[in-house]
Amino acid sequence: MNDEKTRALLRALFDAAIEAASPAICLRPFLAGLAPPEGRTVVVGAGKAAAAMAQAIETQWRHPVSGLVVTRYGHGAPLQQIELVEAAHPVPDTAGRQAAGRILQAVQGLSADDLVIALISGGGSALLALPAPGLSLDDKQAVNRALLRSGAPISAMNVVRKHLSAIKGGRLAAAAAPARLVAYAISDVPGDDPSIIASGPTVPDPSTYDEALAILDRYRIDPPPAVLTHLQEGAAGRIAETPKPGDPVFAHARTEIVATPLRSLEAAAELARNAGYEVELLGDAIEGEAREVAADHAKLALAAKARGRRLALISGGETTVTVRGQGRGGRNCEYLLGLALALDGAEDIWAVAGDTDGIDGSEDNAGAIVTPHTLSRARKRGLDPQALLDGNDSWRLFQTLDYLIVTGPTRTNVNDFRAILVS
């Protein structure tokens, strides 16, 4: 297969993964069996898929609704009955704080005859930026920035976030009780744990203040004084913990996972098989430093090449980047640059990696591709691939080579997608 056709197949694999998690598709079977309440239906939600999920409610569930959802700037969609607010991600802003406060108010004072539909997706943790009493938005922003640069996995980050919030970690469900609550979640986390997706606003939280303190210590994060005091007070039992499993506030609440990373990987795998590739799914919950994961995957690809296999290595999950440089790029570009260096120009190996929400890090690309010629072409342009990796400047290389994948906001999010083709 020539270079152009392989690049087209890589993009098609990525698009198939995104399409499998489209809210219009994945919500339909769940809404078909949802009974309307005797009273009101209030729709609330947060995340990069919130607008598209709300749109699916309005077009596919033919019952009167009202409510409010918050999504990332640029990820909106036209809505008729449900109000839409756009706010900042990954570092929260005032718009997110105000929206979170209004969402909490919207579910309070409801009766057992009412229904709350909660639409939860990745990014919701930053977008539901309602600080716990005694904390400010500035406090939360400072901690969030430090966590993002620390290399901590999303599960650890969200333990801290839950214990600095007035709405996450099951507190939204507590506010909605005794109304019936149905949460529809699009998973972007390893293991599809609903208590981690968007920091679990509608489900019990098994984590503790002590764990949050330990995470800050482990990743050498020096929080603002008010944050440290708040967590210490919570650990000492002077501030109420998040609602735990078995709490009666969850008696009428349930959560449905409507899209998962694995389903998206399987959709891409079917396309790869149809293109004549043997497929190995490496897992939908891969974590670790992006460049280190890339080095491991390069070994697998090189071994397959040595055995003459026509193979697609497909994986998902969320790698991390410990930021040491001042460059540009997200974890997927960092993974790909690490992969290219580890492959060292090996023939017949191509790769794609991208974030299924359409945004890799802080730039406007979803991800990028690697070809057997990536390193040689970069060096001909005067670039030093290793120096760019060391400076966390992977975006610059792929942008220079025109290897970026730009989708725009996809209005869904099932975490990262990676595929390596050994031809």
Side-chain angles (χ1 to χ4, degrees):
M1 184 178 288
N2 65 33
D3 189 273
E4 184 178 341
K5 289 184 178 180
T6 307
R7 289 182 62 169
L9 177 57
L10 291 171
R11 177 59 189 266
L13 295 175
F14 184 54
D15 290 343
I18 294 171
E19 181 68 15
S22 167
I25 294 173
C26 65
L27 266 173
R28 186 179 298 277
F30 293 91
L31 295 177
L34 180 63
E38 294 183 10
R40 300 170 53 204
T41 299
V42 178
V43 178
V44 296
K48 298 170 189 175
M53 295 176 82
Q55 193 175 57
I57 295 289
E58 290 189 349
T59 58
Q60 297 178 20
W61 199 64
R62 302 292 184 177
H63 302 283
V65 298
S66 63
L68 168 68
V69 298
V70 57
T71 193
R72 181 176 179 164
Y73 289 120
H75 290 241
L79 298 175
Q80 301 299 318
Q81 303 172 66
I82 303 165
E83 184 181 352
L84 173 67
V85 173
E86 295 187 358
H89 178 280
V91 177
D93 67 358
T94 301
R97 180 187 63 190
Q98 293 174 345
R102 292 178 60 200
I103 285 172
L104 195 65
Q105 291 175 350
V107 303
Q108 292 174 335
L110 299 176
S111 75
D113 290 332
D114 298 320
L115 170 66
V116 174
I117 301 176
L119 307 174
I120 308 299
S121 58
S125 193
L127 294 163
L128 285 175
L130 190 61
L135 300 179
S136 69
L137 181 60
D138 287 343
D139 292 328
K140 295 202 70 172
Q141 289 172 330
V143 172
N144 219 45
R145 289 190 186 98
L147 286 167
L148 290 168
R149 295 177 65 89
S150 70
I154 190 65
S155 55
M157 292 174 63
N158 285 358
V159 168
V160 177
R161 288 165 163 170
K162 284 186 278 192
H163 287 90
L164 303 178
S165 175
I167 192 170
K168 296 190 277 280
R171 292 188 174 98
L172 179 62
R180 178 164 60 107
L181 185 150
V182 179
Y184 295 119
I186 294 179
S187 173
D188 71 326
V189 302
D192 306 325
D193 183 346
S195 73
I196 300 176
I197 304 169
S199 293
T202 65
V203 296
D205 174 34
S207 68
T208 65
Y209 282 103
D210 281 323
E211 289 177 59
L213 283 167
I215 288 165
L216 294 182
D217 183 63
R218 183 184 314 147
Y219 292 97
R220 300 179 181 178
I221 294 173
D222 184 18
V227 168
L228 183 60
T229 298
H230 176 82
L231 295 177
Q232 290 173 335
E233 290 286 293
R238 291 188 284 271
I239 296 176
E241 259 290 1
T242 49
K244 302 303 177 194
D247 193 305
V249 299
F250 301 108
H252 304 291
R254 64 183 174 90
T255 296
E256 303 278 4
I257 307 294
V258 301
T260 68
L262 181 58
R263 292 176 200 163
S264 288
L265 299 188
E266 289 171 340
E270 181 179 1
L271 182 60
R273 292 188 187 98
N274 291 339
Y277 286 85
E278 181 186 354
V279 174
E280 284 189 14
L281 291 179
L282 301 180
D284 64 339
I286 292 175
E287 296 181 292
E289 194 73 21
R291 64 185 69 186
E292 295 173 4
V293 173
D296 291 339
H297 289 182
K299 292 176 183 177
L300 296 175
L302 290 169
K305 175 179 166 58
R307 293 194 294 272
R309 299 175 69 189
R310 183 176 171 84
L311 179 67
L313 296 164
I314 295 177
S315 65
E318 181 169 295
T319 61
T320 53
V321 174
T322 301
V323 179
R324 299 181 178 90
Q326 300 299 318
R328 301 165 68 182
R331 59 183 180 261
N332 288 290
C333 280
E334 178 127 344
Y335 166 88
L336 286 170
L337 183 49
L339 182 73
L341 285 163
L343 292 173
D344 195 25
E347 295 181 1
D348 302 322
I349 301 179
W350 289 259
V352 64
D355 196 322
T356 55
D357 68 4
I359 305 295
D360 183 35
S362 59
E363 306 306 323
D364 64 355
N365 64 301
I369 64 167
V370 158
T371 79
H373 318 295
T374 296
L375 295 185
S376 61
R377 290 177 178 172
R379 288 167 180 146
K380 286 180 181 178
R381 297 289 188 93
L383 300 176
D384 183 339
Q386 186 62 57
L388 293 175
L389 182 62
D390 293 342
N392 303 116
D393 203 12
S394 54
W395 178 89
R396 182 181 165 198
L397 181 142
F398 294 110
Q399 191 273 339
T400 301
L401 298 180
D402 194 25
Y403 282 179
L404 294 176
I405 290 178
V406 179
T407 62
T410 64
R411 297 174 180 83
T412 191
N413 185 18
V414 285
N415 223 319
D416 297 337
F417 172 83
R418 296 176 293 269
I420 302 172
L421 298 180
V422 183
S423 297

